[in-house]
Amino acid sequence: MLSEWQDHKTHLRNYVSKRIDDVDAIDDILQEVYIKASTNLHKLQSKGSIKSWLFRIAHNTIIDFYRMRQPYDELSDDLIAEEDNGAHARKELAECLRPLIDNMPDKYGVPLRMAELEGISQQEIADRLGISLSGAKSRVQRSRVKFREQLMACCDFEIGQDGVIGYTPKDPTKSPKCPS
């Protein structure tokens, strides 16, 4: 590893110095690149790609360097996170989902209801329905696909960082799959 490092050290130094605005940090970053490369040399699949591998490590180390320098403000201890986080929208959405599941043929609606709403294991679903475990798994998977198709046909969703933050049911008269 040391001979490969010596071969590429000058190029790596130039690469890092062009991307770092702190001259004092260049040697620290190079040292960190060497440590990471030495530690993870066993993960390198092709010895012929060591140069690009070293530059990828250098690139990631530079990103880490800037990431650690980003300023942040301390939050006050009396700040309490808002509990809702879209809970109301999810509850409303759940009310929209139940009729969609109920509208599915029993072959698909029953296993989906058991798995997703009642939290029953697929083995227990198989036992209750008198089918094999692989049959229950297939049926639940097919049910999810059919449910997703029906859901996309019947509802418009607003998605945010916390997942679904709102939805609007589509007009059931315009889509025959949607229950009224």
Side-chain angles (χ1 to χ4, degrees), residues 73-80:
D73 295 330
E74 290 287 330
L75 296 176
S76 65
D77 292 335
D78 60 340
L79 185 64
I80 299 174

Side-chain angles (χ1 to χ4, degrees), residues 118-142:
E118 298 172 20
I120 297 174
S121 72
Q122 291 184 352
Q123 179 62 58
E124 191 173 337
I125 292 171
D127 295 341
R128 286 187 185 183
L129 297 178
I131 58 177
S132 67
L133 176 59
S134 64
K137 288 180 179 183
S138 294
R139 197 161 298 173
V140 169
Q141 284 302 107
R142 274 183 265 150

Side-chain angles (χ1 to χ4, degrees), residues 113-172:
R113 192 177 305 107
M114 288 176 166
E116 300 300 335
L117 298 181
E118 298 172 20
I120 297 174
S121 72
Q122 291 184 352
Q123 179 62 58
E124 191 173 337
I125 292 171
D127 295 341
R128 286 187 185 183
L129 297 178
I131 58 177
S132 67
L133 176 59
S134 64
K137 288 180 179 183
S138 294
R139 197 161 298 173
V140 169
Q141 284 302 107
R142 274 183 265 150
S143 300
R144 287 175 179 157
V145 169
K146 290 189 176 294
F147 178 73
R148 182 174 188 267
E149 290 169 358
Q150 189 175 12
L151 188 63
M152 298 311 288
C154 296
C155 296
D156 288 320
F157 300 97
E158 183 179 350
I159 309 293
Q161 283 183 325
D162 297 325
V164 176
I165 57 175
Y167 83 99
T168 306
K170 292 181 181 176
D171 185 359

Side-chain angles (χ1 to χ4, degrees), residues 84-137:
D84 185 28
N85 291 340
H88 179 68
R90 283 191 294 278
K91 186 176 179 180
E92 276 188 42
L93 180 60
E95 294 305 316
C96 177
L97 300 182
R98 188 171 297 280
L100 292 175
I101 294 173
D102 291 343
N103 196 41
M104 295 176 74
D106 285 344
K107 179 179 181 179
Y108 300 112
V110 171
L112 185 63
R113 192 177 305 107
M114 288 176 166
E116 300 300 335
L117 298 181
E118 298 172 20
I120 297 174
S121 72
Q122 291 184 352
Q123 179 62 58
E124 191 173 337
I125 292 171
D127 295 341
R128 286 187 185 183
L129 297 178
I131 58 177
S132 67
L133 176 59
S134 64
K137 288 180 179 183

Side-chain angles (χ1 to χ4, degrees), residues 11-22 25-34 36 54-70:
H11 296 292
L12 284 169
R13 176 180 290 284
N14 291 336
Y15 178 80
V16 171
S17 65
K18 289 178 183 176
R19 287 158 178 80
I20 296 294
D21 59 1
D22 184 358
I26 293 172
D27 288 328
D28 294 338
I29 290 173
L30 282 174
Q31 181 178 6
E32 195 169 333
V33 169
Y34 179 75
K36 288 178 181 179
L54 287 171
F55 277 87
R56 174 52 53 194
I57 293 172
H59 175 79
N60 291 341
T61 306
I62 291 168
I63 289 173
D64 291 343
F65 169 78
Y66 281 113
R67 192 176 289 145
M68 290 173 46
R69 286 182 48 190
Q70 286 183 348

